Amino acid sequence: MTPNLKVEVVGLNRVKAKHLVAQLRLTNTGTDKNLPWTGELADNTRPLGAIRWASGIGVLDAQARAWILPYQPADFPCLCSDQDRDGLGYFIRPGRSITLYAVMPAPSGSPATTTVVTPVGLPMLNVPISDEPPVTPPGMIIPDPEAEPVTTVIRRLVTPSESLDESEETADDGRDLHVNLSSDVLFAVNKATLTPKARTVLARTAKLIDSSAGPTVTVEGHADSSGSDTINDPLSTRRAQAVRHALSALVTRQGVGYQAKGYGSRRPLYSNDTDEGKRRNRRVTVTFAKPQAAETEPVATSEPAASPGATGLTGSGKADGQPISMEVTGLRRLSGGLGLLTYRITNEGGAEAWYNELHHAPDWLSYKYQAASNVRLTDVAADRQYLPGRLQVPTDDGGVDSYCACTDVSGVRISTEKFGPGQAREFWGLFALTEGGSTMQVKIADFRELQVPVQ
């Protein structure tokens, strides 16, 4: 996302079987301007005061659905390079390089490779992990994560999907499945009696519960912001109880316990400022341990996305009167039931253009910052649509902020939607991508829908 900034992983070392030391080389490939690096490598899910640190260097633990970032000591934002303390300065001069480090927990399962993530570009897949001690440049001192108390910084990755008939949506956090059943499908307005169509919807959920090994199923009723608590609270409770009763009759697995509770309008998932947000907030959420499915190992590759060549994976449109093009550069299956979509958008015109459609998704208000979230993957055979993953960050007040597991377009990365004449930018997004079809329908913003092969 930053012109003339080249990022290379030059070291990835597992230490004491539980820590990971990452070293990245940043190079200014330009010829005439100094390049600032500090704000570019900062983690935007932490306070902005940490922008001079390389706190955004991390790895994706796909199996655990975790986005792992550098440890946080008591006195510093992260166990990573700092422009002042490490004498790196604010700028990289033309043609020069600097090397940064970050120390974090090692990904689970002692994998031979991992995916390295930074705020500045596409995730880097299948980077080898060495169990040898790190080899550092002269003058670099890697701090010992066991020398002082440190806090682990891990962002839980949740991957949402929804049925094409809008009857339910599912959020997978790697441990549990949260199945949000539409109250508009299950019940008539202001009623708690299940509709005839509800049995079909609940039968699908019961099948998932049968495939789970968890002993407990939690059923929660929720309402939108319309009406008062005196109406919403008892109605949401009765609806949760109705779903619990129906599921207990449909689930065939023995030893399953059920808990049901209503929360009224106090736990919205989406903004109640739109009709679509209200529709999604009217729901009954069924939560249980995620069923364990067999994993398909991803095909090893040295690049995050190879150009598909003349396969027609392109689209065109207009932005601010300028011709703008899009090309899908890859849809890759990762481990842990994840997939990485990469694509390129180019301003083909001769004048500057803003392209705002990338964040104009129906659920864009659900994110802390605007992001390239207006992307959907559809598996017609499975009757499912997949939305970009979300990074969950706990807040001081006990809530959760959601950040898109995709390219930022605002917040700390201002003007990403602004394209100069002829300028191209690479974008990415993480999605659930389970076993099955060899192609997916991909819809990016207002470009035409494409049939994209899964690599």
Side-chain angles (χ1 to χ4, degrees), residues 159-182:
T159 51
S161 66
E162 57 189 20
S163 61
L164 297 184
D165 63 2
E166 298 184 339
S167 62
E168 54 89 359
E169 59 181 15
T170 300
D172 177 359
D173 66 7
R175 294 175 300 194
D176 295 322
L177 281 184
H178 307 266
V179 182
N180 299 314
L181 305 172
S182 171

Side-chain angles (χ1 to χ4, degrees), residues 43-48 55 65-69 72 151-158 173 175 366-369 389-405 408:
D43 170 29
N44 69 354
T45 69
R46 305 195 201 199
L48 293 182
S55 54
R65 292 290 174 94
W67 189 278
I68 303 175
L69 293 167
Q72 183 172 340
T151 300
T152 298
V153 181
I154 294 178
R155 310 309 189 195
R156 177 66 54 185
L157 173 62
V158 177
D173 66 7
R175 294 175 300 194
S366 302
Y367 296 106
K368 178 72 172 181
Y369 296 128
R390 299 182 177 190
L391 302 175
Q392 304 291 296
V393 182
T395 59
D396 293 338
D397 60 2
V400 173
D401 280 337
S402 291
Y403 295 77
C404 187
D408 296 317

Side-chain angles (χ1 to χ4, degrees), residues 35-204:
L35 184 66
W37 68 269
T38 50
E40 303 299 322
L41 267 293
D43 170 29
N44 69 354
T45 69
R46 305 195 201 199
L48 293 182
I51 62 171
R52 73 184 201 193
W53 300 74
S55 54
I57 297 172
V59 297
L60 172 64
D61 187 340
Q63 294 290 347
R65 292 290 174 94
W67 189 278
I68 303 175
L69 293 167
Y71 292 113
Q72 183 172 340
D75 299 328
F76 300 102
C78 78
L79 214 60
C80 62
S81 293
D82 168 54
Q83 68 177 49
D84 296 330
R85 186 190 62 191
D86 296 308
L88 297 169
Y90 183 75
F91 292 103
I92 306 174
R93 287 181 289 175
R96 303 294 295 272
S97 300
I98 62 172
T99 300
L100 311 176
Y101 69 84
V103 186
M104 65 200 75
S108 59
S110 299
T113 65
T114 191
T115 297
V116 176
V117 292
T118 72
V120 296
L122 308 180
M124 293 174 274
L125 305 183
N126 302 309
V127 180
I129 300 176
S130 172
D131 287 303
E132 297 297 322
V135 177
T136 60
M140 176 182 287
I141 300 176
I142 304 292
D144 182 358
E146 299 180 9
E148 60 177 314
V150 293
T151 300
T152 298
V153 181
I154 294 178
R155 310 309 189 195
R156 177 66 54 185
L157 173 62
V158 177
T159 51
S161 66
E162 57 189 20
S163 61
L164 297 184
D165 63 2
E166 298 184 339
S167 62
E168 54 89 359
E169 59 181 15
T170 300
D172 177 359
D173 66 7
R175 294 175 300 194
D176 295 322
L177 281 184
H178 307 266
V179 182
N180 299 314
L181 305 172
S182 171
S183 291
D184 293 3
V185 174
L186 297 180
F187 307 99
V189 177
N190 293 329
K191 302 295 183 182
T193 302
L194 292 167
T195 64
K197 186 177 180 180
R199 182 174 179 84
T200 301
V201 176
L202 292 174
R204 295 199 299 257

Side-chain angles (χ1 to χ4, degrees), residues 62-65 172-177 207-214 288-295 336-337 434-435:
Q63 294 290 347
R65 292 290 174 94
D172 177 359
D173 66 7
R175 294 175 300 194
D176 295 322
L177 281 184
K207 186 176 180 180
L208 290 171
I209 296 173
D210 279 331
S211 301
S212 168
F288 49 93
K290 176 185 176 181
Q292 296 300 310
E295 293 291 343
T434 53
E435 296 180 55

Side-chain angles (χ1 to χ4, degrees), residues 125-439:
L125 305 183
N126 302 309
V127 180
I129 300 176
S130 172
D131 287 303
E132 297 297 322
V135 177
T136 60
M140 176 182 287
I141 300 176
I142 304 292
D144 182 358
E146 299 180 9
E148 60 177 314
V150 293
T151 300
T152 298
V153 181
I154 294 178
R155 310 309 189 195
R156 177 66 54 185
L157 173 62
V158 177
T159 51
S161 66
E162 57 189 20
S163 61
L164 297 184
D165 63 2
E166 298 184 339
S167 62
E168 54 89 359
E169 59 181 15
T170 300
D172 177 359
D173 66 7
R175 294 175 300 194
D176 295 322
L177 281 184
H178 307 266
V179 182
N180 299 314
L181 305 172
S182 171
S183 291
D184 293 3
V185 174
L186 297 180
F187 307 99
V189 177
N190 293 329
K191 302 295 183 182
T193 302
L194 292 167
T195 64
K197 186 177 180 180
R199 182 174 179 84
T200 301
V201 176
L202 292 174
R204 295 199 299 257
T205 305
K207 186 176 180 180
L208 290 171
I209 296 173
D210 279 331
S211 301
S212 168
T216 303
V217 175
T218 301
V219 183
E220 300 173 346
H222 302 276
D224 64 23
S225 59
S226 302
S228 64
D229 290 344
T230 57
I231 296 175
N232 289 335
D233 288 356
L235 179 62
S236 65
T237 298
R238 292 198 305 272
R239 286 179 167 181
Q241 292 170 343
V243 170
R244 177 195 61 185
H245 179 74
L247 285 175
S248 64
L250 292 169
V251 171
T252 60
R253 182 163 59 89
Q254 299 298 311
V256 180
Y258 297 86
Q259 299 174 354
K261 187 175 182 179
Y263 289 94
S265 60
R266 290 186 293 277
R267 295 188 175 183
L269 289 178
Y270 302 91
S271 169
N272 280 301
D273 294 337
T274 65
D275 290 341
E276 175 67 7
K278 288 182 178 180
R279 182 191 71 79
R280 290 174 179 263
N281 286 331
R282 294 190 297 268
R283 70 196 191 278
V284 175
T285 301
V286 182
T287 301
F288 49 93
K290 176 185 176 181
Q292 296 300 310
E295 293 291 343
T296 300
E297 288 299 318
V299 177
T301 175
S302 59
E303 296 294 334
S307 174
T311 56
L313 300 183
T314 61
S316 60
K318 290 280 188 178
D320 284 350
Q322 300 300 307
I324 191 166
S325 67
M326 179 274 297
E327 178 186 12
V328 173
T329 55
L331 177 55
R332 304 212 170 202
R333 196 185 305 277
L334 310 181
S335 62
L338 294 178
L340 174 66
L341 175 73
T342 56
Y343 54 101
R344 179 183 301 114
I345 292 180
T346 305
N347 178 4
E348 305 286 358
E352 181 178 271
W354 288 84
Y355 186 63
N356 301 307
E357 293 300 321
L358 278 175
H359 73 78
H360 282 173
D363 55 348
W364 70 272
L365 285 172
S366 302
Y367 296 106
K368 178 72 172 181
Y369 296 128
Q370 293 176 2
S373 59
N374 193 9
V375 181
R376 299 292 184 269
L377 273 57
T378 302
D379 186 337
V380 176
D383 189 40
R384 295 208 71 76
Q385 179 173 260
Y386 299 90
L387 288 67
R390 299 182 177 190
L391 302 175
Q392 304 291 296
V393 182
T395 59
D396 293 338
D397 60 2
V400 173
D401 280 337
S402 291
Y403 295 77
C404 187
C406 62
T407 304
D408 296 317
V409 297
S410 75
V412 298
R413 188 167 294 284
I414 304 298
S415 299
T416 303
E417 297 159 297
K418 183 179 180 180
F419 290 77
Q423 184 178 16
R425 281 195 168 118
E426 309 283 344
F427 293 84
W428 62 272
L430 282 173
F431 297 80
L433 192 62
T434 53
E435 296 180 55
S438 59
T439 62

